Amino acid sequence: MKTRAAVATAAGKPLEIMEVDLEGPREGEVLVEVKATGICHTDDFTLSGADPEGLFPAILGHEGAGVVVDVGPGVKSVKKGDHVIPLYTPECRECPSCLSRKTNLCTAIRATQGQGVMPDGTSRFSLNGEKLHHYMGCSTFSNFTVLPEIAVAKVNPDAPFDKICYIGCGVTTGIGAVINTARVEPGATAIVFGLGGIGLNVIQGLRLAGADMIIGVDINNGKKEWGEKFGMTHFVNPKEVEGDLVPYLIDLTKRGADTIGGADYTFDCTGNVTVMRQALESAHRGWGESIIIGVAGAGQEISTRPFQLVTGRVWKGTAFGGARGRTDVPKIVDWYMDGKIEIDPMITHTLTLEEINRGFELMHQGESIRSVVVY
Ligand code: NAD
Ligand code: 022
Ligand code: ZN
C-alpha cells in the first residue's frame, strides 16, 4: 500500500512529506493507522546527525497512537479495530529480561530495532524501490506503520489519540520514573531539574505519589508557572542563586529536626551532565536517590566524588520510566481518562503532517512543551 509520511532523507535536512510504499504485516506483526504523533527530543537528536547510531533514509517518530487495521499470521493479543500505542520499549513477557521482573528493557527484538528493521531483518517501508529504515521500532511519522505485536499496547478506545500519543514517551517516562524507578513514598521531598515535557510529568508523578516538597529547577523563569500548574511547591532558577546551587538546595530541603538536608529523590530531566552531578549531590546523605532521565550527547561522561556514594547517595537511570509497555501503558491511559493525571495543557501545539518541521523549530526555540501532529 501507499502511505503519507515525513521522511528523514539525510542528517541535518528538514523532513520531506511524501507518499511511500508500505508492505503489509508479516507473522507476529500488525499494521497500524497512526492517528496522532508527538515530536520528541530523540527524533531531533537523530535527525540532526548528532546520534551516532542514526540511520538514513528513515521514518522517525516514536510517540504515537492509532488503530490496528490489519494483523499478520499468528497475532493473538490484538485485533483489527483495537486502539494501540506503539512501544519503543517492547514487552515480550518471555525473554530473560522480561522474566527477571527486574527491568523493563525487553531484549526480544533489541538488535533488529537498533538496525532500523523488523525482527526478520527486513524493512516494510520503501521509496521507489529503495529501503527506508524504521525508527525505534515505531516510525510514527507515517500515517500507517507496521509494528511487532509485542510492541503495541492495547488501550481504552474512548481515549483521544491527539492526547494519549504523549503517553507513548513523555508522560510514561516522567510518571514512570517516579512510580517505578524511584518508588517515591508519600511525604517525600524531591527536586526536579529541567521543567520541559519530561520534568513536568515527573512533577505530576510526584504529586500523584504524595510527595510533600516538590522543588523545580530551571534556568528559564517562564517554567515557574508551568511547574506550579502540575504540583511544584518551590521554584529555583540557578542563574539567580547567589553562590553554588547544591548547598542552596540542600539548605532548602532541611526540615524539622533534620539539619543535614538534601532531597529524598532528585531527577535529571535535562540531559546535561553537569546538572546530573548537581542532582546527585543535592540528594540526601545516607539515602537520597538521584534518577537520570535526560539523554546526554554521544560520548559525554558523568562524574562525582565516590564519597558521595559511599555516604549513601544512590545514582540510578531509567528508560521509558521503567514501564513495561503492554502492562503499564494501558493503566496510564486509564489514569488520564479518570482525571488522575493531566495531559491536555502540556500539548501546546497541534500541527498537520505538512507542518511537522515547524514542530522541530518550536522545540529548538523552547516555545513548546509538546507539539503533536494529527493525521
Ligand atoms: P525540554 O527541552 O522540553 O526540557 C528541558 C528543560 O531543561 C528546559 O525547560 C530547559 O530550560 C531546562 N534546562 C536546560 N539546562 C538546564 C540547566 N543547566 N539547569 C536547569 N534546567 C535546565 O526536554 P524534555 O522533552 O523535557 O526532555 C528532557 C530530557 O529527557 C532529554 O534529554 C530527553 O532526550 C530525555 N528523555 C529521556 C527518556 C528516557 O527514557 N530516559 C525518555 C524521553 C526523554
Ligand atoms: C525517548 N528517549 C529519549 C527521548 N525519547 C529514549 C532514548 C533512549 C532510551 C530510552 C528513551 C534508551 C535507554 C536505554 C536504551 N534505550 C537501550 C535499551 C536496550 O539496549 O535494551 C534505547 C531504546 C531504543 C533505541 C535505542 C536506545 C532504539 O530503538 N534505537 C529504548
Ligand atoms: Zn521520546
Side-chain angles (χ1 to χ4, degrees):
M1 68 179 285
K2 298 272 184 198
T3 181
R4 223 155 44 95
V7 181
T9 55
K13 283 210 195 153
L15 299 177
E16 288 181 44
I17 316 307
M18 47 179 110
E19 287 240 301
V20 303
D21 291 295
L22 177 62
E23 264 187 57
R26 297 188 186 173
E27 182 150 12
E29 299 175 358
V30 300
L31 175 67
V32 171
E33 180 182 358
V34 180
K35 295 286 196 181
T37 178
I39 302 171
C40 175
H41 274 278
T42 288
D43 303 312
D44 183 57
F45 180 57
T46 302
L47 181 60
S48 72
D51 175 0
E53 275 152 31
L55 298 165
F56 297 91
I59 297 179
L60 306 179
H62 63 281
E63 193 176 78
V67 184
V68 174
V69 290
D70 197 10
V71 300
V75 170
K76 292 202 176 67
S77 58
V78 288
K79 57 181 189 307
K80 271 188 209 180
D82 282 349
H83 291 203
V84 293
I85 289 181
L87 302 170
Y88 63 83
T89 303
E91 181 187 356
C92 76
R93 300 174 173 159
E94 289 172 355
C95 73
S97 295
C98 284
L99 292 175
S100 76
R101 309 300 300 156
K102 294 181 185 207
T103 176
N104 65 326
L105 292 179
C106 173
T107 52
I109 58 170
R110 180 172 173 262
T112 48
Q113 183 172 320
Q115 292 158 6
V117 291
M118 294 299 285
D120 74 350
T122 64
S123 172
R124 300 291 159 272
F125 289 108
S126 60
L127 179 64
N128 305 322
E130 189 200 358
K131 160 180 162 180
L132 297 172
H133 289 95
H134 293 250
Y135 180 67
M136 292 181 90
C138 293
S139 294
T140 57
F141 292 168
S142 173
N143 195 183
F144 289 82
T145 189
V146 174
L147 303 149
E149 174 183 14
I150 60 166
V152 296
K154 182 176 161 175
V155 301
N156 181 343
D158 297 331
F161 298 114
D162 60 335
K163 304 298 187 296
I164 63 163
C165 59
Y166 194 8
I167 296 175
C169 183
V171 172
T172 303
T173 296
I175 293 180
V178 173
I179 309 262
N180 304 314
T181 309
R183 297 174 186 275
V184 171
E185 67 282 353
T189 59
I191 311 174
V192 183
F193 294 79
L195 306 181
I198 301 298
L200 294 176
N201 278 294
V202 171
I203 287 181
Q204 74 165 331
L206 287 163
R207 178 172 65 184
L208 196 67
D212 255 7
M213 190 183 207
I214 305 175
I215 302 169
V217 179
D218 205 297
I219 51 177
N220 176 353
N221 280 332
K223 297 300 172 101
K224 178 171 184 279
E225 206 175 311
W226 275 105
E228 284 168 349
K229 226 181 257 193
F230 298 101
M232 180 182 78
T233 60
H234 300 69
F235 178 75
V236 176
N237 183 338
K239 290 184 169 169
E240 292 174 3
V241 168
E242 282 183 37
D244 289 339
L245 177 64
V246 170
Y248 180 85
L249 291 170
I250 287 180
D251 198 51
L252 190 60
T253 47
K254 282 177 189 161
R255 292 194 302 178
D258 180 20
T259 53
I260 301 173
D264 298 322
Y265 301 95
T266 69
F267 299 84
D268 167 71
C269 312
T270 69
N272 177 319
V273 294
T274 306
V275 174
M276 292 178 190
R277 180 178 190 151
Q278 293 168 340
L280 176 82
E281 297 182 356
S282 51
H284 201 288
R285 183 181 193 276
W287 66 75
E289 297 196 8
S290 187
I291 320 296
I292 294 177
I293 306 174
V295 175
Q300 298 239 282
E301 296 185 351
I302 48 169
S303 62
T304 190
R305 297 204 176 119
F307 184 73
Q308 292 285 334
L309 305 185
V310 168
T311 47
R313 291 171 196 83
V314 178
W315 222 342
K316 283 187 181 178
T318 183
F320 195 42
R324 290 182 172 74
R326 290 200 286 164
T327 306
D328 296 338
V329 162
K331 290 186 197 164
I332 298 183
V333 171
D334 291 341
W335 294 351
Y336 168 68
M337 294 304 283
D338 294 343
K340 292 197 173 88
I341 59 167
E342 291 181 87
I343 297 182
D344 301 19
M346 291 187 221
I347 298 173
T348 50
H349 300 80
T350 303
L351 308 168
T352 64
L353 186 61
E354 283 66 31
E355 296 170 317
I356 193 167
N357 289 303
R358 188 167 130 67
F360 284 81
E361 281 164 31
L362 290 164
M363 181 160 68
H364 294 156
Q365 293 157 357
E367 289 275 322
S368 54
I369 299 297
R370 210 30 137 230
S371 293
V372 165
V373 167
V374 177
Y375 286 95

